[in-house]
Amino acid sequence: MVRVNENYTLLQGSYLFSEVAKRVKAYQQNNPEKKIIRLGIGDVTQPLVPSVVKAFQEGVEEMAKKETFHGYGPEQGYEFLREAIAQVDFQRRGISITADEIFISTGAKEDTANFQELFDTKISLAIPDPVYPVYVDSNVMAGRAGKFSHGRYTNFFYLDATIENNFKPEIPKKRFDVVYLCFPNNPTGQVLTREELKAWVEYAHKHGSILLFDAAYEAFVEDPSIPKSIFEIDGAREVAVEFRSLSKTAGFTGTRCAYTIVPKEVKVYTKKGHALSLHSLWFRRQSTKFNGVSYPVQKAAAAVFTAEGQKEIKEVIGYYKENARLIYETIASLGLPCTGGKHSPYIWFKTPMDSWRFFDYLLDKVQIVGTPGIGFGRNGDGYFRLSAFGERQNVLEAIDRLKTLSW
Ligand code: MLT
């Protein structure tokens, strides 16, 4: 008899998007004639941009020739990619992040899930609610959760993001070792101003906490008063780690490429109080458990940071932002309080019934798939998320269908 990792038995149901997919599949099987419009999972629909495709093809060609073939790459990712990221995302914007503080990976999902391994199992954790489920589940798997009671794990402190606080969680009075933040937020689409983010960095300094900042949706921010990176804030280098991704920024959900920034100043401590560099520990972890992103993908990723690539991805982001605007206006016109949709591809709104009932109602009445808010946490009950990553034609059709609804 082999004993299970009991922590897995504490996980609730199936992973949110697997459950959504299961219900949609069952509906389609029972209603093969119906055209379903998918505005659920944040998966992109527009192809890779031309400069990325060209670089990708060149990378494959290089792999096909003895003289230019690549085997294992450097552990942290190719320098040409890390340098390009450091310059375009940070240095040109006046932020001091260097290439050796950037770790290339296959996804922000993996990195946000894996990063907690570097911390003791007993650390105190503050996690937003609603939240991208990966932060919670990965900590449950690691044995930090306690019991599940009334929709929450007893060992986590939940940072409430509700309509009352405009979906911006208040800074806790108490100290927590590690705090997860995600802005622009998944699922609410809410953003923080520079002053608001600064207050979190000050909190972390005051308490010796570490902020795990998920910036996967930063490409949707155009307003200069809204930070795209936590490293725009003075002092963040000592207390923050940032996760970024090309999935939503450049259509890499299927291609896979992301990067995590671990500044050299961030420290963690042994029981005896010896300081260790989080950067060195993440390097150690990645070089043991991960063997890098393929050369053609990293070559394709580097093209995102060329002038041409930047111009091309901006157009695609603009396309999704217009979708977001259209969906937001439609939901608002139905009288449902909503947020997001402006600096984010997600529209988050209050539903006239509980989240899963609304999911089934929408699927059944107008064949639109969204994501039930309860899947993001207890505060998400009675809320719903629509994604703006669809094809414009489908978004327009979805809007027409939504306008026929009444309750
Ligand atoms: C979402 O829909 O929340 C995201 O696509 C999930 C992800 O990025 O893993």
Side-chain angles (χ1 to χ4, degrees):
M1 197 174 75
V2 178
R3 288 276 304 270
V4 67
N5 173 350
E6 297 278 343
N7 298 320
Y8 275 65
T9 66
L10 293 169
L11 293 166
Q12 299 307 300
S14 55
Y15 181 60
L16 171 62
F17 296 106
S18 317
E19 178 62 26
V20 167
K22 200 173 93 192
R23 290 194 189 205
V24 174
K25 192 170 170 205
Y27 179 85
Q28 188 77 88
Q29 268 165 1
N30 294 332
N31 302 275
E33 74 296 348
K34 302 269 194 205
K35 180 188 167 197
I36 295 176
I37 300 181
R38 291 163 204 271
L39 305 178
I41 191 165
D43 195 5
V44 295
T45 52
Q46 299 308 295
L48 296 172
V49 297
S51 53
V52 166
V53 174
K54 185 167 168 280
F56 209 164
Q57 284 165 338
E58 284 166 8
V60 173
E61 287 302 321
E62 284 180 54
M63 294 298 277
K65 291 190 203 99
K66 203 169 175 183
E67 313 75 61
T68 48
F69 173 77
H70 288 77
Y72 293 126
E75 285 104 335
Q76 263 184 261
Y78 283 99
E79 196 163 344
F80 64 79
L81 175 56
R82 290 183 292 108
E83 272 299 344
I85 294 169
Q87 279 178 27
V88 175
D89 275 5
F90 300 105
Q91 293 163 8
R92 273 190 214 161
R93 304 184 59 241
I95 305 166
S96 71
I97 292 293
T98 52
D100 60 352
E101 293 174 312
I102 297 171
F103 294 77
I104 309 299
S105 76
T106 47
K109 181 178 189 173
E110 309 54 326
D111 286 357
T112 52
N114 293 332
F115 210 86
Q116 48 73 30
E117 282 182 26
L118 304 188
F119 305 118
D120 189 85
T121 46
K122 301 273 184 315
I123 56 161
S124 55
L125 272 179
I127 307 186
D129 178 359
V131 74
Y132 179 43
V134 172
Y135 318 153
V136 171
D137 285 358
S138 56
N139 279 289
V140 173
M141 291 169 179
R144 295 195 181 92
K147 295 199 177 62
F148 191 73
S149 165
H150 304 291
R152 289 185 162 181
Y153 291 99
T154 49
N155 285 358
F156 300 155
F157 179 81
Y158 290 87
L159 299 165
D160 290 314
T162 60
I163 202 155
E164 287 76 29
N165 61 20
N166 196 18
F167 304 103
K168 298 182 187 200
E170 271 163 42
I171 296 185
K173 307 256 175 308
K174 266 180 69 186
R175 174 186 185 278
F176 291 95
D177 290 308
V178 170
V179 179
Y180 285 83
L181 295 175
C182 172
F183 290 103
N185 187 260
N186 181 12
T188 67
Q190 185 54 286
V191 287
L192 293 188
T193 64
R194 191 159 280 111
E195 280 309 302
E196 288 163 340
L197 190 54
K198 187 166 164 253
W200 279 105
V201 170
E202 284 167 3
Y203 167 87
H205 270 280
K206 179 170 164 205
H207 295 288
S209 309
I210 291 179
L211 306 175
L212 297 181
F213 188 79
D214 185 349
Y217 298 93
E218 56 79 25
F220 290 80
V221 174
E222 286 171 313
D223 179 339
S225 70
I226 298 167
K228 285 164 89 66
S229 164
I230 196 164
F231 300 117
E232 289 176 38
I233 310 295
D234 283 344
R237 285 186 57 88
E238 291 83 36
V239 295
V241 170
E242 181 165 290
F243 304 94
R244 292 166 89 95
S245 166
L246 294 183
S247 284
K248 320 295 157 92
T249 305
F252 273 57
T253 51
T255 310
R256 311 304 302 151
C257 194
Y259 44 107
T260 288
I261 294 95
V262 191
K264 299 237 176 90
E265 288 88 332
V266 194
K267 297 279 187 289
V268 275
Y269 296 87
T270 64
K271 227 187 288 177
K272 290 190 172 153
H274 293 309
L276 294 173
S277 143
L278 204 56
H279 179 280
S280 308
L281 291 173
W282 185 240
F283 182 89
R284 186 71 180 81
R285 191 265 174 214
Q286 289 298 79
S287 50
T288 300
K289 295 196 177 181
F290 177 63
N291 241 344
V293 176
S294 77
Y295 173 75
V297 168
Q298 292 197 56
K299 179 134 179 161
V304 170
F305 299 92
T306 60
E308 196 57 23
Q310 289 286 291
K311 193 169 141 257
E312 289 170 350
I313 62 160
K314 213 163 167 242
E315 273 168 36
V316 181
I317 298 284
Y319 175 95
Y320 293 135
K321 283 185 77 149
E322 177 60 7
N323 284 350
R325 190 188 66 79
L326 292 165
I327 297 170
Y328 180 94
E329 281 183 3
T330 306
I331 298 298
S333 76
L334 293 173
L336 300 172
C338 56
T339 184
K342 194 161 182 219
H343 310 289
S344 156
Y346 297 128
I347 296 91
W348 178 252
F349 59 96
K350 209 162 170 34
T351 52
M353 55 194 86
D354 81 50
S355 308
W356 276 114
R357 266 186 60 212
F358 190 73
F359 174 89
D360 292 331
Y361 169 82
L362 217 57
L363 186 57
D364 189 46
K365 284 266 186 283
V366 287
Q367 293 76 52
I368 293 175
V369 179
T371 309
I374 185 78
F376 298 100
R378 195 169 80 184
N379 285 340
D381 199 16
Y383 283 85
F384 207 72
R385 193 194 77 176
L386 289 178
S387 142
F389 286 114
E391 296 270 3
R392 177 67 47 76
Q393 215 180 319
N394 285 339
V395 168
L396 292 174
E397 196 175 333
I399 283 171
D400 286 344
R401 293 185 193 182
L402 286 167
K403 283 182 178 158
T404 65
L405 292 175
S406 58
W407 30 75

